[in-house]
Amino acid sequence: MDYPHRRYNPLRREWVLVSPQRTARPWQGEVSGASGFSAVHYDPDCYLCPGNRRAGGVVTPQYDSVYIFDNDYPALLPNAATGVLETPAGGRTELLVAEPERGRCHVICFHPDHSLTLARMELISIRRVVDAWMEEYRLLGEEFRYVQIFENRGAMMGASNPHPHGQIWATEHVPNEPAAETAALEEYHRAHGSCLLCDYARHELNESARVVCENDSFLAVVPWWAIWPFETLVLAKRHLRSLLDFGEAERDGLADLLKQVTTRYDNLFETSFPYTMGFHQAPCDGRPHEEWHFHAHFYPPLLRSATVRKYMVGFEMLGMPQRDITPESAAERLKGVVGEHFLDRDS
Ligand code: H2U
Ligand code: ZN
């Protein structure tokens, strides 16, 4: 398909415009040297390094694996006002709607070593992060309806610090993205009597053109409907609704697949590849959510080098998302890089 076409995203029930003819020219993207990695294991100015004082005055303790704390600048508060919000001058109107939102924001340090990233952490250390994510999902899910686990990696994606860390926001209401996915998954389940992402995973494994890597319990694909040039979707092979459905093998499997994907990303442009990554899973609202299928989205901004990014502006903001390089060629490039991290090759 080297002519403009649009592809359907059944998970968002939206279209994406694909314009592969714009990349018919030979590949001319530069390959920059390594950047974005910290060379020091401990940074005295890093608020996430063990023993350092954070902005709010609290001292980050001497942790030796995973450390979780309440965000010192939380976007959500556990006891937000529950009363009626002030009505706009001129009286109530259905056009200016607001409601209180309660929640909690946690920060999770993946490792005490400032120089590491998920790609370069040992599997056993990533597995500890997976276990901590599970526990957070379980505990926060008892109090809130949705638990959004995510990682902003790299300054390009707004991460405040190179120290390996992520965030967890729990909210009283299901946020827009998982709410839209819930509706699409429910509709598909009703219409077909099967799970949309089980069916999709089976298709991708058969066709293999968009599969980047896999293990016994997970696969990573550049989805048919990817928006970002090197976007990937990590799918559980079994029908797991949330982290709570994971067995031992799947906890190890997720750790392994996250390492595989982030390593391939770093190797693509020999840089610390920026992205926003996060899990989508069943809301914690007490319903069984048989339609839900655990997955991770990686949304990386880079287009053709460590410094050239894609901008979601113009037609994307006003019309619909658009991409040039096809998901199939992005998958081929990610599959084509060496599986071992470029910084670890000679050691
Ligand atoms: P990001 O790098 O994804 O922005 O995550 C870092 C979070 O850490 C950010 O939400 C919080 C910021 O509010 N933070 C603290 O809780 N304490 C600090 O001393 C600095 C930053
Ligand atoms: Zn640090």
Side-chain angles (χ1 to χ4, degrees):
M1 279 196 240
D2 54 2
Y3 46 87
H5 61 279
R6 51 189 228 153
R7 295 189 186 194
Y8 186 62
N9 176 349
L11 206 48
R12 294 291 279 103
R13 296 190 288 189
E14 277 179 6
W15 294 87
V16 50
L17 180 63
V18 187
S19 316
Q21 80 288 352
R22 290 175 96 191
T23 54
R25 61 187 175 7
W27 185 259
Q28 292 181 324
E30 334 104 76
V31 177
S32 308
S35 68
F37 286 101
S38 173
V40 296
H41 303 292
Y42 167 78
D43 175 353
D45 294 325
C46 168
Y47 57 86
L48 299 178
C49 273
N52 292 352
R53 193 170 293 278
R54 299 207 297 272
V58 183
V59 173
T60 297
Q62 289 292 342
Y63 61 102
D64 55 18
S65 59
V66 173
Y67 168 60
I68 297 172
F69 63 93
D70 281 319
N71 196 310
D72 298 311
Y73 307 95
L76 295 144
L77 299 169
N79 301 309
T82 46
V84 180
L85 290 177
E86 219 172 283
T87 46
R92 291 181 84 69
T93 162
E94 62 188 49
L95 294 178
L96 308 177
V97 181
E99 59 185 20
E101 179 68 334
R102 286 186 326 118
R104 247 178 223 286
C105 298
H106 288 173
V107 178
I108 170 170
C109 299
F110 298 156
H111 199 285
D113 186 332
H114 187 83
S115 72
L116 290 180
T117 63
L118 283 178
R120 303 193 63 222
M121 278 165 60
E122 287 181 53
L123 274 180
I124 177 129
S125 304
I126 307 178
R127 165 63 200 259
R128 287 192 196 110
V129 178
V130 172
D131 290 349
W133 280 330
M134 277 184 75
E135 195 54 13
E136 285 283 287
Y137 177 82
R138 194 179 64 74
L139 282 174
L140 290 167
E142 285 172 5
E143 195 184 345
F144 300 102
R145 288 202 190 84
Y146 202 75
V147 180
Q148 184 58 58
I149 296 170
F150 63 99
E151 178 192 12
N152 290 324
R153 176 85 217 147
M156 206 179 263
M157 288 310 274
S160 55
N161 186 325
H163 195 108
H165 72 284
Q167 297 193 46
I168 300 154
W169 293 23
T171 49
E172 194 175 1
H173 298 93
V174 181
N176 299 347
E177 292 291 314
E181 291 190 1
T182 302
L185 290 165
E186 269 175 356
E187 184 190 70
Y188 186 95
H189 198 255
R190 246 192 328 268
H192 299 84
S194 59
C195 163
L196 190 161
L197 289 176
C198 279
D199 291 356
Y200 179 63
R202 206 171 307 119
H203 182 95
E204 290 294 18
L205 285 168
N206 278 339
E207 197 192 323
S208 87
R210 284 170 297 275
V211 178
V212 173
C213 50
E214 62 174 307
N215 59 29
D216 286 347
S217 37
F218 288 89
L219 71 150
V221 299
V222 179
W224 170 257
W225 53 82
I227 291 173
W228 295 94
F230 295 98
E231 174 178 335
T232 53
L233 176 68
V234 173
L235 287 167
K237 287 188 176 174
R238 273 208 309 135
H239 185 64
L240 309 171
R241 293 164 302 175
S242 75
L243 282 166
L244 297 187
D245 287 345
F246 280 43
E248 276 293 314
E250 278 129 358
R251 298 190 207 184
D252 283 341
L254 181 62
D256 172 69
L257 212 86
L258 292 177
K259 186 173 170 78
Q260 286 197 46
V261 172
T262 51
T263 298
R264 285 179 184 278
Y265 274 154
D266 283 2
N267 285 348
L268 187 67
F269 299 130
E270 301 214 333
T271 189
S272 181
F273 204 79
Y275 57 75
T276 275
M277 179 278 280
F279 303 143
H280 277 157
Q281 49 191 329
C284 315
D285 53 6
R287 291 168 49 208
H289 284 297
E290 272 313 320
E291 77 286 359
W292 254 96
H293 189 115
F294 177 95
H295 57 275
H297 294 281
F298 274 91
Y299 297 134
L302 291 183
L303 177 58
R304 58 185 147 83
S305 76
T307 51
V308 179
R309 61 164 294 165
K310 173 177 175 59
Y311 288 95
M312 285 286 183
V313 295
F315 191 77
E316 280 98 335
M317 279 187 133
L318 294 161
M320 68 198 290
Q322 183 271 339
R323 63 179 293 129
D324 293 348
I325 130 173
T326 62
E328 293 72 33
S329 56
E332 204 177 301
R333 297 195 58 207
L334 285 170
K335 218 178 331 191
V337 298
V338 180
E340 190 190 2
H341 200 279
F342 73 97
L343 289 179
D344 297 330
R345 252 170 245 162
D346 303 321
S347 58

